[in-house]
Amino acid sequence: EAGVAQSPRYKIIEKRQSVAFWCNPISGHATLYWYQQILGQGPKLLIQFQNNGVVDDSQLPKDRFSAERLKGVDSTLKIQPAKLEDSAVYLCASSLEPGAVAFFGPGTRLTVL
Amino acid sequence: QQQVKQSPQSLIVQKGGISIINCAYENTAFDYFPWYQQFPGKGPALLIAIRPDVSEKKEGRFTISFNKSAKQFSLHIMDSQPGDSATYFCAASGNTGFQKLVFGTGTRLLVSP
C-alpha cells in the first residue's frame, strides 16, 4: 500500500513570497490533515478535512494560509505572504475516518529567509 | 485543556536499558492515546496506542502504562537498541467532534551502543 505522498520535500523562499505544498493521501482515506512542526516541537494541527469539507481550521492563520481538497483526494496548502516564523516542516496525514490511525507523509521542510 | 505535556525533553539510555517517557493531560474527554516515533527527515509513524479501558498495553519491547485517575500515561522501551534512537511523541484525541489529535512536545531518545 502506497503511503502519503508530499511534494516538494524542501523549499526555500524569501519572506513575503508565496509557496504551495501538495499532498496525496492514502487511497480511500476520507480524512486529511495538515500539521505544522516547528523545530523542537510537536506537530500542530492546522486544518482537517473530511472528504472535501473543512471540519477544523481553528489554528490556521487564515490571513496568510489557505488549503483546499478538491474532489476529496489531493490537497494543497498555500502560504501567502510567508513570514520568517513560518519556517517549519509541514506534514500531511490521512486516516480512513476521524479517530482512526493517522498515517503521515515525509513532510515538506520550508525555510523562509 | 487541549495540551499534552511530555517529559523529558531528551533522554540518553545505554543499549539494553529501559527508556521511559511520560505524558500528562487534563482533558477528560481524551480517550485515545497513541505514541508516534519519528526519525530525522521522516514523518511520525504510529508505534503503539491505548484506550482508557485498559491500564497497560504491550507490543514487543514497547509498553504503554496508563493511569486514568492521574491522567498520565507513559511509554516504556525495554532492552533499548541504537535503532530506537528517534524522537517520540505522545498524543491524545477525544471521542467527540472530529477527534483532533493533539501532540506532546516530543522526547529525543539516544541509545548509546
Side-chain angles (χ1 to χ4, degrees), chain A residues 9 37 42 45 48 98-99 102 105, chain B residues 36 38 41 43-44 89 98-100 104:
Chain A
R9 291 296 314 276
Q37 186 176 19
L45 182 68
Q48 179 177 343
Chain B
Y36 281 81
Q38 185 175 31
F89 294 96
F98 286 92
Q99 302 168 16
K100 178 168 69 177

Side-chain angles (χ1 to χ4, degrees), chain A residues 9 33 35 37 39-43 45 48 50 55-56 58-59 91 98-107 109, chain B residues 9 32 36 38 40-46 49 51 87 89 93-94 97-106 108:
Chain A
R9 291 296 314 276
Y33 316 80
Y35 283 85
Q37 186 176 19
L39 187 64
Q41 298 183 19
L45 182 68
Q48 179 177 343
Q50 183 63 21
V55 298
D56 189 331
S58 56
Q59 297 196 88
L91 295 162
V101 174
F103 294 87
F104 283 80
R109 180 177 296 277
Chain B
Q9 193 172 16
Y32 174 65
Y36 281 81
Q38 185 175 31
K42 306 288 187 184
L46 179 67
R51 292 198 182 269
T87 300
F89 294 96
S93 69
F98 286 92
Q99 302 168 16
K100 178 168 69 177
L101 198 58
V102 179
F103 282 83
T105 50
R108 182 174 288 186

Side-chain angles (χ1 to χ4, degrees), chain B residues 9-10 22 29-30 33 42 45 47 49 51 56 63 75 80 86 106 111-112:
Chain B
Q9 193 172 16
S10 62
N22 301 299
F30 286 152
F33 303 90
K42 306 288 187 184
L47 189 62
R51 292 198 182 269
E56 185 174 283
T63 300
L75 175 70
S80 299
V111 181
S112 59

